[in-house]
């Protein structure tokens, strides 16, 4: 029996290298066909709970992982896992009740997992009324290693932006399928996981006289204001078969940016003149958006209980430590960004997060330190005519405004002697490789470093951004559209791939497009 595009049995990828491709291709055959697969009459008559959103796995460590699922009714979550794709001796874990306050989402932390192994997992729900068990939805993921071995991860951002949602005529969000084919150990979504502020219409006239046609639900047809509308954005993305396939294959790390709430939101955001919004309080929108994000993100809770902390560190064996930042929650208002002294208005990460990151980096013993940041450090990203959305301010001189905080961070990294640190980001809707050179910077008390940019996954293409000279940003490579807001039909949808070699420990960063074409490659040797 088929269920929501997934095979009800052990439809998973084998751990052994010689089996991976066979199983993946079999999975593609199972998922082939229409974008949305309807229920069979037998399923409809059974009264079983259903899992239309598939499963997700997130924040995987060497011995644990977060497994997420969603029922369509009050039901108890059950999770089984095994190192054998046949589930010969599955370990069963009783999860929480999926109830309406969480939009029937639930999650469980699997513990005691073996390190460096492919874990096969399946999720089911038992009806709270009649006890009937749903069909299983299956997937697999890699746990972090404890021994030196090859590492591969992907990153990108920006899903369903500028009104470009699920287009059945082009096969939906195909880049997710392309990424799944690369068989990464994990994927980092660098923010704008949804576009709550961008209505998705049935059709959009785009370049060259073409028409983009969307699948539309009531919740995505307008800007999100209610809690249900914010949740509906996540439900919408999970309607795409490519996304569900990817989620069943690849463990994820989520961070957020602005479009989870509203474009360029900060304490200075004013919706008074925006007729699309009946709710004018950005704070209230943020509260609802935050609840929806944590309902749907397969995220490991960190920080004090109830803090809704997104920044966190996640080790991934001897070769890699992962540091996930949050440039949105602790920032001051968007301003002209030219203050000469640090203060609450110049915060972008916030003092606590900067201190945390420096301490975590100093403590790291991994060869590489990957810092995942939701916005580039040196590109000029404007908020209207006079305000700035990111770090840079276009002044090109000594550090001012939010640059003061980043200058303290970069100096702290240099003074601590931290080596092999690489930044990965998204946000600007094109792909690029940046080298920050202190010899060409106005503020030069830092060690040189690389920053790689990718995205969008399924959104309008923009760029390129203008570099700011304060931290000596040198554009080594970029690919962006000649005109702004090109549709995904133009092919300018991007992701990045990182491979760390087990023997040389070299890091190879490759920028790719939605067809898996290599655009740029940089090999970094460890210090």
């Amino acid at each position: 029996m088929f269920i929501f595009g997934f095979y009800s049995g052990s439809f998973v990828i084998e751990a052994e290298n010689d089996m991976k491709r066979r199983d993946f291709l079999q999975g593609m055959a199972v998922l082939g066909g229409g974008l949305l697969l309807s229920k069979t009459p037998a399923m409809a008559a059974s009264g079983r709970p259903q899992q239309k959103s598939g499963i997700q796995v997130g924040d995987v460590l060497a011995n644990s992982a977060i497994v997420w699922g969603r029922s369509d009714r009050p039901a108890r979550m059950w999770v089984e896992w095994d190192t054998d794709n046949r589930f010969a001796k599955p370990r069963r874990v009783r999860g929480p009740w999926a109830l309406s306050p969480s939009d029937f989402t639930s999650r469980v932390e699997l513990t005691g997992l073996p390190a460096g192994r492919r874990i096969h997992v399946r999720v089911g729900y038992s009806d709270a009324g009649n006890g009937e068990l749903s069909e299983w939805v299956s997937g697999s993921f890699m746990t972090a290693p404890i021994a030196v071995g090859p590492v591969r991860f992907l990153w990108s951002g920006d899903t369903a932006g500028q009104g470009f949602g699920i287009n059945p005529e082009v096969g939906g969000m195909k880049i997710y399928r392309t990424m799944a084919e690369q068989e990464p150990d994990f994927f980092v979504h660098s923010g704008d996981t949804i576009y709550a502020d961008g209505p998705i219409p049935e059709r959009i006239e785009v370049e060259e006289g073409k028409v983009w046609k969307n699948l539309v639900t009531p919740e995505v047809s307008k800007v999100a204001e209610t809690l249900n509308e914010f949740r509906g954005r996540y439900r919408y993305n999970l309607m795409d078969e490519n996304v569900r396939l990817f989620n069943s294959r690849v463990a994820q790390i989520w961070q957020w940016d602005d479009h989870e709430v509203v474009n360029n939101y900060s304490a200075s955001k004013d919706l008074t003149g925006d007729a699309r919004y009946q709710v004018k309080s950005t704070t209230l929108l943020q509260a609802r958006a935050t609840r929806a994000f944590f309902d749907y993100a397969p995220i490991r809770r960190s920080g004090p209980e109830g803090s809704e902390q997104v920044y966190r560190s996640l080790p991934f064996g001897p070769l890699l430590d992962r540091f996930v930042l949050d440039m949105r929650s602790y920032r001051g208002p968007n301003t002209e960004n030219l203050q000469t002294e640090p203060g609450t208005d110049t915060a972008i990460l916030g003092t606590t997060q900067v201190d945390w990151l420096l301490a975590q980096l100093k403590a790291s013993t991994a060869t590489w330190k990957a810092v995942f940041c939701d916005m580039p450090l040196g590109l000029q990203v404007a908020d209207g005519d006079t305000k700035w959305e990111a770090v840079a301010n276009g002044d090109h001189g000594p550090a001012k405004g939010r640059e003061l905080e980043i200058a303290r961070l970069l100096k702290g990294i240099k003074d601590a002697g931290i080596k092999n640190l690489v930044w990965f980001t998204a946000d600007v809707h094109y792909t690029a490789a940046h080298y920050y050179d202190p010899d060409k910077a106005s503020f030069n008390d830092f060690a040189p470093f690389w920053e790689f940019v990718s995205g969008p996954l399924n959104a309008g293409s923009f760029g390129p951004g203008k570099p700011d000279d304060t931290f000596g940003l040198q554009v080594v490579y970029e690919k962006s559209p000649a005109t702004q807001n090109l549709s995904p039909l133009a092919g300018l949808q991007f992701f990045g791939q990182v491979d760390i070699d087990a023997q040389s420990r070299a890091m190879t960063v490759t920028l790719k497009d939605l067809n898996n074409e290599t655009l740029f490659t940089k090999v970094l040797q460890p210090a």
Side-chain angles (χ1 to χ4, degrees):
M1 178 181 287
F2 294 92
I3 180 165
F4 312 119
F6 293 93
Y7 189 69
S8 61
S10 306
F11 173 42
V12 286
I13 297 176
E14 294 281 3
E16 296 83 358
N17 291 335
D18 61 345
M19 300 289 282
K20 284 184 178 180
R21 182 60 54 187
R22 185 202 69 184
D23 279 5
F24 180 82
L25 293 175
Q26 289 176 346
M28 292 298 206
V30 169
L31 282 163
L35 180 65
L36 292 176
L37 303 183
S38 61
K39 298 177 290 183
T40 66
M43 288 167 55
S46 71
R48 296 181 178 186
Q50 300 176 28
Q51 301 183 67
K52 296 181 181 180
S53 298
I55 63 173
Q56 299 182 91
V57 178
D59 286 8
V60 173
L61 301 175
N63 62 356
S64 65
I66 305 299
V67 177
W68 177 98
R70 181 173 181 266
S71 175
D72 68 338
R73 68 193 71 180
R76 166 78 75 181
M77 183 187 199
W78 295 93
V79 180
E80 292 187 347
W81 68 270
D82 202 336
T83 55
D84 184 342
N85 72 309
R86 297 166 298 179
F87 290 91
K89 296 181 179 179
R91 288 77 156 178
R92 173 171 283 201
V93 178
R94 188 179 79 163
W97 289 105
L99 300 171
S100 58
S102 65
D103 204 23
F104 303 108
T105 65
S106 60
R107 74 201 65 222
V108 124
E109 180 176 7
L110 300 184
T111 59
L113 305 176
R117 296 288 301 275
R118 179 159 290 279
I119 306 299
H120 303 275
V121 64
R122 57 191 183 190
V123 176
Y125 283 90
S126 58
D127 192 298
N130 59 28
E132 200 166 353
L133 184 66
S134 71
E135 295 282 344
W136 293 103
V137 174
S138 302
S140 66
F141 61 93
M142 289 296 298
T143 52
I146 56 175
V148 173
V151 175
R152 169 174 290 180
F153 70 84
L154 310 179
W155 91 96
S156 189
D158 317 308
T159 301
Q162 288 70 54
F164 299 112
I166 301 170
N167 184 344
E169 291 188 354
V170 300
M173 301 186 195
K174 293 187 295 184
I175 195 169
Y176 278 92
R177 185 174 296 251
T178 301
M179 293 193 299
E181 291 171 343
Q182 310 319 306
E183 299 175 355
D185 296 317
F186 63 91
F187 167 74
V188 180
H189 198 306
S190 297
D192 295 338
T193 54
I194 60 168
Y195 276 70
D197 56 315
I200 296 177
E202 291 185 358
R203 53 189 286 129
I204 307 173
E205 294 184 6
V206 298
E207 60 278 354
E208 300 176 356
K210 299 176 182 177
V211 176
W212 178 273
K213 297 180 181 180
N214 286 309
L215 183 69
V216 179
T217 66
E219 291 81 12
V220 304
S221 64
K222 63 180 290 292
V223 295
E225 299 178 272
T226 68
L227 178 56
N228 181 59
E229 287 167 351
F230 281 107
R231 287 168 165 168
R233 290 283 172 162
Y234 294 99
R235 293 194 299 266
Y236 178 83
N237 289 353
L238 293 170
M239 291 170 66
D240 186 277
E241 64 175 346
N242 306 288
V243 173
R244 295 196 310 273
L245 167 70
F246 182 79
N247 292 349
S248 73
R249 296 286 176 272
V250 183
Q252 301 181 65
I253 297 172
W254 280 30
Q255 54 190 154
W256 59 14
D257 195 27
D258 57 332
H259 290 288
E260 283 83 0
V261 182
V262 65
N263 184 46
N264 293 351
Y265 85 86
S266 73
S268 63
K269 186 70 177 182
D270 184 2
L271 294 173
T272 302
D274 193 332
R276 302 176 305 164
Y277 284 91
Q278 299 301 308
V279 177
K280 301 298 184 180
S281 169
T282 305
T283 303
L284 180 55
L285 293 175
Q286 182 184 0
R288 292 169 176 167
T290 299
R291 175 59 190 266
F293 178 86
F294 279 100
D295 282 338
Y296 278 83
I299 192 171
R300 182 180 296 276
R301 296 302 183 100
S302 59
E305 185 175 355
S307 66
E308 295 167 342
Q309 181 175 308
V310 170
Y311 70 84
R312 59 206 188 275
S313 62
L314 300 163
F316 200 78
L319 295 183
L320 181 68
D321 277 346
R322 305 165 293 180
F323 305 92
V324 184
L325 301 188
D326 179 1
M327 277 189 162
R328 189 55 56 179
S329 302
Y330 311 101
R331 66 168 54 204
N334 289 357
T335 67
E336 293 182 353
N337 202 24
L338 294 172
Q339 298 92 336
T340 57
E341 297 293 332
T344 55
D345 284 355
T346 65
I348 183 72
L349 294 170
T351 300
T352 299
Q353 189 175 181
V354 170
D355 291 344
W356 165 86
L357 178 58
L358 285 171
Q360 291 288 315
L361 290 171
K362 290 176 185 177
S364 173
T365 60
T367 302
W368 292 99
K369 291 83 175 165
V371 178
F372 298 99
C373 193
D374 36 301
M375 303 190 77
L377 297 182
L379 286 180
Q380 301 175 42
V381 183
D383 179 12
D385 296 329
T386 61
K387 297 177 183 178
W388 294 97
E389 161 72 352
V391 176
N393 51 31
D395 180 68
H396 301 293
K400 295 179 181 177
R402 291 169 175 164
E403 294 171 339
L404 294 167
E405 188 174 84
I406 299 303
R408 180 171 83 87
L409 172 60
L410 296 180
K411 182 180 186 301
I413 291 170
K414 176 189 174 184
D415 291 347
I418 297 165
K419 306 295 184 184
N420 305 327
L421 188 151
V422 185
W423 295 71
F424 299 94
T425 187
D427 179 69
V428 290
H429 293 232
Y430 68 96
T431 191
H434 298 156
Y435 182 68
Y436 288 80
D437 188 347
D439 292 335
K440 298 180 180 180
S442 299
F443 173 85
N444 56 21
D445 194 6
F446 66 94
F449 63 94
W450 284 87
E451 174 189 71
F452 297 96
V453 185
S454 197
L457 287 164
N458 196 87
S461 300
F462 292 87
K466 296 179 180 179
D468 190 296
D469 294 339
T470 298
F471 300 122
L473 187 160
Q474 307 298 303
V475 178
V476 179
Y477 174 83
E478 67 182 19
K479 185 168 185 178
S480 59
T483 58
Q484 301 302 296
N485 197 21
L486 290 187
S487 79
L489 296 177
L492 298 177
Q493 311 289 288
F494 306 109
F495 68 96
Q497 177 175 312
V498 178
D499 291 279
I500 305 176
D501 184 75
Q503 294 184 335
S504 68
R505 304 198 177 202
M507 172 184 282
T508 300
V509 182
T510 307
L511 304 180
K512 294 185 171 185
D513 66 14
L514 67 93
N515 296 315
N516 198 41
E517 293 294 328
T518 294
L519 307 173
F520 174 83
T521 299
K522 179 65 182 179
V523 180
L524 304 176
Q525 298 295 338

